[in-house]
Structures are given as structure tokens and as C-alpha cells.
Amino acid sequence: MKHLIPFFPKPAFVPVIRLQGTIGAGARGLSDQGLAPLIERAFGRGKPAAVAFVINSPGGSAVQSSLIAARIRRLADEKKIPVHAFVEDVAASGGYWLACAADDIHVDLSSVVGSIGVIYASFGFQDLMQKQGVERRVHTAGTSKSFGDPFKPETEQEVARIRALLSPLHDNFIAHVKARRGARLSDGADLFNADIWVGQASVNLGLTDGIGHVVPRLKEVYGDKVRLVPLGQRRSIAQRLGLHIGAGLSDTVMASVEERALWARYGL
């Protein structure tokens, strides 16, 4: 008679991915291309009980936010795997777009959440150039080719066109939040004016689902023996030092300034 070997089920495991930083297609930002292998691995290896995302992002590119969130939802729906999001300092603008890809969102009491809006920012140097006696000469084929040129005065027509471009982006963001959050959103508040909320206020408005941190919350849901498996992007030495391969010094400095400005909006 053969000896029967007792079967002990393996404890549940949950891949945990950190989404830290601004969102954009550049080397410094979170992008769909950069995150795709990581996200695919999280959903594709074995049979995870869930996939968790720890988010700390002030936002950035609307397109990259949409692509990353769509990839998460596609894999979650195909494989029927729950997705949990945990917000650290901030999940604002594109950062909140990513959080909404999850089935539930938990925050710290001091987390900043929201900023459901779109921004266009530029500079105007025409007066400085005039004072310095500099004349800018631009020749175009196509009346819109010099649209948004920071070296010429802004017109009412250009302002109207910028607003027309921002409006559908804002509508897409709103539609995403409504589709993901549904009836959980509060009816009595204006949630889509790019305002931000802290901790419990975001829970009260239905933007998030509760106060909780990744380890205790996942143990509460999947048991004390749940195995959390951190997954991270492999970065080159240059990326670890904050350098852009193929980018000039001025490009690197400008990227750093823009990234710093995004974080500074939330006091970080």
C-alpha cells in the first residue's frame, strides 16, 4: 500500500508593484512601455490571489495614465484577479487615474487624493525679447504650425483653442472615474473641479474606500499567512543617478524642474 502524502495548500500570494513618481513617456516617468513587463508578470505568474499597487504620484501624462490603467484592467478582467490600490503621500491627477484602475482604494489619514482635472502650462517671453532687442523670425506652412509659441503674444483665439483641447481630456478623466467608482461617488459634491482631499475626506466622498496600509489590509483580506511579493522595475545605473540617456544637460535639468513642480503642488 502506497503511503499517502498529505496535501498542504500553499498560502495565498499577492504581487505588489510600487508606482512611484511622475507619469510620462520619458526615462524618468512611469510609462506604459516601462511598466508593461512588470504588470504582465504580476498577473501572469502562477495564480495570485490579487495584485496590489502602492501609488505615490502627483500625475503627469493623461495618455500614459490611460494606457497603464487600461493594461491593468484588461489583465484583471481576463484573469479574474482582484486589484487593490494603496495611496502613500499622493495620488493626484494621473496618480488618481491609476488608483481608479483598482477594485478598491485605501489611503493613509494624511494621503492627498483627487485633482480630477487637466492643466496646460507654458511661458511668455515676448516682452523679454523686446527689451533685449531680439527679433524672432518664424515662417510656417499652415496657420496653426506656430500655435502656442512662447515667443509671441498669446491671443484670445489661442486661449479658446487650448481650452477646447483640454475639455475632452477632462471629459475622459471624469468618465474613467465614474466608470470605476460608480455609485460609491458622493452625489452632493463637485468632485471634478480639480480639487484635492485628504485621507478620511476622500473616503467620505467615495473617491476612496477606506483608511488602510498595504500589509495589514492584505493580511486582513487574505489571511495572516499571505505572501506579499514585491515586484520592481530594473533600472540602469544612469537611471538610478537620474540621468537621461541621449538627453542634453538642459533637457535633464528641465525634466527635473518640471517633476519638482508637480510634487511641489502638494507640498512634497
Side-chain angles (χ1 to χ4, degrees):
M1 182 177 179
K2 295 182 179 179
H3 293 286
L4 297 178
I5 301 175
F7 173 72
F8 296 102
K10 293 181 179 180
F13 75 95
V14 178
V16 180
I17 298 176
R18 174 174 291 275
L19 300 179
Q20 166 84 27
T22 56
I23 303 167
R28 296 174 64 92
L30 299 170
S31 69
D32 180 58
Q33 181 181 19
L35 289 169
L38 200 61
I39 296 173
E40 298 280 346
R41 180 151 48 103
F43 284 96
R45 278 194 174 181
K47 295 181 179 179
V51 175
F53 292 88
V54 178
I55 298 173
N56 199 8
S57 174
S61 165
V63 173
Q64 293 302 317
S65 301
S66 177
L67 290 172
I68 296 167
R71 183 180 296 276
I72 293 170
R73 284 315 319 160
R74 174 177 59 80
L75 291 168
D77 293 340
E78 285 179 359
K79 298 178 179 296
K80 296 180 172 54
I81 296 174
V83 178
H84 307 287
F86 297 88
V87 179
E88 292 189 338
D89 296 280
V90 58
S93 194
Y96 184 64
W97 192 312
L98 297 183
C100 284
D103 297 302
D104 56 66
I105 307 170
H106 282 76
V107 297
D108 182 82
L109 281 169
S110 298
S111 296
V112 175
V113 173
S115 190
I116 304 171
V118 183
I119 186 172
Y120 171 89
S122 183
F123 296 93
F125 299 110
Q126 68 276 3
D127 292 337
L128 176 63
M129 291 178 63
Q130 186 176 5
K131 289 179 181 178
Q132 298 299 321
V134 178
E135 179 186 2
R136 178 166 167 78
R137 297 171 181 173
V138 179
H139 306 280
T140 68
T143 56
S144 296
K145 196 62 179 178
S146 62
F147 170 72
D149 189 336
F151 297 101
K152 65 184 182 69
E154 192 173 54
T155 66
E156 292 183 4
Q157 291 80 6
E158 285 184 329
V159 173
R161 186 173 178 191
I162 289 170
R163 289 175 176 167
L165 291 171
L166 295 180
S167 182
L169 297 178
H170 194 201
D171 291 342
N172 293 340
F173 196 171
I174 293 171
H176 173 67
V177 173
K178 286 184 175 180
R180 296 299 307 150
R181 301 299 300 171
R184 288 176 285 187
L185 296 173
S186 172
D187 291 330
D190 182 4
L191 303 177
F192 307 116
N193 64 358
D195 204 350
I196 56 175
W197 293 270
V198 176
Q200 186 62 48
S202 72
V203 178
N204 296 342
L205 292 170
L207 294 168
T208 61
D209 297 288
I211 305 298
H213 298 164
V214 57
V215 174
R217 175 61 184 167
L218 292 179
K219 283 187 174 183
E220 179 184 346
V221 176
Y222 299 105
D224 288 337
K225 293 185 179 180
V226 64
R227 186 164 56 94
L228 306 185
V229 183
L231 298 181
Q233 288 180 280
R234 294 179 180 177
R235 300 190 301 165
S236 66
I237 294 176
Q239 288 175 319
R240 293 174 188 174
L241 295 174
L243 302 177
H244 293 255
I245 301 299
L249 178 60
S250 60
D251 294 331
T252 301
V253 172
M254 284 303 298
S256 298
V257 170
E258 291 173 357
E259 182 176 356
R260 184 64 252 159
L262 273 175
W263 285 108
R265 292 180 63 199
Y266 307 101
L268 300 169

